[in-house]
Amino acid sequence: MAKGEDLDPAEMAVYFALLESGRLLQYALEQQIRRDGDLSFVQFQILAGLHLGTEHGRERMTDIADRVVYSRSGLTYQARELERRGLVERVPDPDDDRGTVVVITGAGRKLIGSILPDHQDVVREMLIDHLDPADAATLTRVLGELRDRMREQPPRSARPRRKPASS
Amino acid sequence: MAKGEDLDPAEMAVYFALLESGRLLQYALEQQIRRDGDLSFVQFQILAGLHLGTEHGRERMTDIADRVVYSRSGLTYQARELERRGLVERVPDPDDDRGTVVVITGAGRKLIGSILPDHQDVVREMLIDHLDPADAATLTRVLGELRDRMREQPPRSARPRRKPASS
DNA sequence: TATTGTTATACTCTATAACTATA
DNA sequence: TATAGTTATAGAGTATAACAATA
C-alpha cells in the first residue's frame, strides 16, 4: 500500500464504517445523557471518568484534557459549567502550586449513578448484544491498539504539541 | 446479558475503544481537511459524497441530511456556506417542487480533488497500514453491520422521526 | 395532513492568543 | 524557559420552533 495511491473500496469501507458507527453510537448516547442528566457527552466523559476511573474522584485538569482529547481552554469552560452546577469542585493541587485538581462531589456521583444504568442499556442494545465473543475480542484488540497508537503518535497532519520555535 | 446489569470491564472496553478510536481518527482528519481545504469535517463529507458517491454530483437536501446524520436546519446552514464559497449550487428539484437539489460545482470537485490524496495518506498511516487482512475483514463486516442496524433502528433513546401525535 | 426546506433566534461549544504564576 | 491554568473574545456550529409551499 504505497503512499499516494488511492485507497481501494474495501479500505475506504473500513474507514467509513469506523467513523460512522462510532458517530451513530455516540449520537444515541448523547440523546440518552442529555435526557437523563442534562449533560453534554464531554461533560459525561469528565464526570464518569472521575467517578469510575479514579481512586478518590480527583484528577488534574491537564490529565482530564488529555483523557477527553480537549483543549485546555475548552476544559476550563466545561469544568466551570460542572462547578456551577455543583457536580465538581476545583481545588489547588497540593503537589504543584501551578495545578488545579478537579474533585467530583456527592451530587456529581449521584447524577452519574442515575445516568449509568440506562447508558449501559443503550450500549448493550446497540453494540454488545450484536457481537459474538470472537468478534468482540477482535474489536477490542484492534480498536484498542488503534487508540493507543493514535494517542501516542500524532500524525504529521495533527497539530504539534509545542509551537514551533520560529525565531 | 440481561438488561439492567452492569457491563463487565471487557464490554466497557469495546465501547470506549470504538468511540475513542473513531474520535481520534476523525480529529486527525479534521486537521488535514482544515489545513488543505479550509473545510469542516461535515462540509468535507457533504462534498466528498457528492463527488464520489453520486452519478452526476447531485443529491437532495434530505438525502444529504440523512447521510451525514445532520439536522435539516444545520444542513441548510452548511449548504449556504458551501454555496457562498462557490463549491455547490442549490437548484429546484424538477421531480418535487418542494425539494432542493444540491449540485457540486467544478470548483467543488477541484477542491475535493486537492484534499483527497493527503486525506487517503492519513487514513492509510493511521488505520489501514496497521491492520492485517483478516482483522480488516472482520472490522469491515462487524462495523458495517453495526452501522446499518443503527441507521435503521434508532433506539428508544434516540429522537423519534415524527413528533408524537399528542392529541 | 405530512413532508420539504428555510428562517430567526438563542445558545453551546471551540479556537486563539494573551496573561499570571509556578517549575 | 517551559508548563499549568485562566481569561477574553470572536466565531462556528447546533437546536428549536415557526413558517410557507407543495405532496
Side-chain angles (χ1 to χ4, degrees):
Chain A
M1 195 38 51
K3 174 177 174 176
E5 282 179 28
D6 283 356
L7 298 177
D8 67 41
E11 292 167 339
M12 292 292 277
V14 187
Y15 153 47
F16 285 136
L18 174 60
L19 259 52
E20 189 171 353
S21 56
R23 195 154 44 86
L24 284 164
L25 178 57
Q26 180 168 331
Y27 181 81
L29 293 172
E30 279 172 350
Q31 310 302 119
Q32 183 266 323
I33 292 165
R34 178 72 65 190
R35 175 169 51 77
D36 291 350
D38 194 29
L39 294 176
S40 69
F41 193 76
V42 171
Q43 290 168 345
F44 172 78
Q45 283 185 301
I46 295 169
L47 276 184
L50 285 167
H51 180 61
L52 298 173
T54 67
E55 194 70 27
H56 301 290
R58 305 167 62 84
E59 197 173 10
R60 290 190 45 155
M61 290 289 288
T62 296
D63 295 333
I64 298 176
D66 288 347
R67 172 164 68 78
V68 299
V69 191
Y70 222 66
S71 71
R72 299 289 167 84
S73 66
L75 181 59
T76 296
Y77 169 79
Q78 295 295 353
R80 186 166 45 226
E81 284 298 300
L82 293 173
E83 193 170 44
R84 186 178 58 73
R85 292 178 56 182
L87 304 173
V88 303
E89 286 175 358
R90 282 181 290 180
V91 300
D93 184 346
D95 299 329
D96 183 339
D97 283 347
R98 299 170 304 181
T100 297
V101 174
V102 179
V103 189
I104 189 170
T105 64
R109 288 194 191 269
K110 187 174 172 185
L111 181 63
I112 285 296
S114 75
I115 294 174
L116 274 179
D118 268 16
H119 192 78
Q120 296 186 338
D121 286 345
V122 175
V123 173
R124 219 190 329 264
E125 287 170 16
M126 298 194 69
L127 179 66
I128 304 293
D129 283 352
H130 304 281
L131 297 176
D132 74 41
D135 287 344
T138 301
L139 230 59
T140 302
R141 174 176 53 79
V142 173
L143 296 181
E145 289 168 0
L146 270 177
R147 177 202 55 207
D148 293 343
R149 190 182 330 110
M150 290 194 280
R151 271 184 179 167
E152 291 168 12
Q153 302 178 353
R156 58 156 172 48
S157 56
R159 177 173 32 161
R161 294 264 161 155
R162 306 151 198 284
K163 51 180 148 185
S166 58
S167 64
Chain B
M1 193 40 48
K3 173 176 175 176
E5 282 180 29
D6 283 357
L7 298 177
D8 67 41
E11 292 167 341
M12 292 291 276
V14 188
Y15 152 47
F16 286 136
L18 174 60
L19 258 52
E20 189 171 353
S21 57
R23 196 154 43 88
L24 284 165
L25 178 57
Q26 180 169 329
Y27 182 82
L29 292 172
E30 278 172 350
Q31 311 302 118
Q32 183 265 324
I33 292 165
R34 180 70 67 189
R35 175 169 52 77
D36 290 352
D38 194 28
L39 294 175
S40 68
F41 193 75
V42 170
Q43 290 168 345
F44 172 78
Q45 282 186 300
I46 296 169
L47 277 183
L50 286 166
H51 180 60
L52 298 172
T54 67
E55 195 72 26
H56 302 290
R58 306 167 61 84
E59 197 174 10
R60 290 190 45 156
M61 289 290 287
T62 296
D63 295 333
I64 298 176
D66 288 347
R67 172 164 68 79
V68 300
V69 192
Y70 222 64
S71 71
R72 298 290 167 82
S73 65
L75 181 60
T76 296
Y77 169 79
Q78 295 295 352
R80 187 166 46 227
E81 283 300 299
L82 293 173
E83 192 169 44
R84 187 178 56 75
R85 291 177 56 181
L87 304 173
V88 303
E89 286 175 358
R90 282 181 290 180
V91 301
D93 184 347
D95 299 328
D96 184 339
D97 284 347
R98 298 170 304 181
T100 298
V101 173
V102 179
V103 189
I104 190 169
T105 63
R109 288 194 190 270
K110 187 173 173 185
L111 181 62
I112 285 296
S114 74
I115 294 174
L116 274 179
D118 268 16
H119 192 78
Q120 297 186 335
D121 286 346
V122 175
V123 173
R124 217 185 333 259
E125 288 171 16
M126 298 196 68
L127 179 66
I128 304 294
D129 283 353
H130 305 280
L131 297 176
D132 74 41
D135 287 343
T138 301
L139 232 59
T140 302
R141 173 177 52 79
V142 173
L143 296 180
E145 289 168 1
L146 270 177
R147 177 202 53 208
D148 294 342
R149 189 180 333 107
M150 290 193 281
R151 271 184 179 167
E152 291 167 11
Q153 301 179 353
R156 57 157 173 47
S157 57
R159 179 174 29 165
R161 295 263 160 159
R162 307 149 199 285
K163 50 181 151 185
S166 57
S167 65

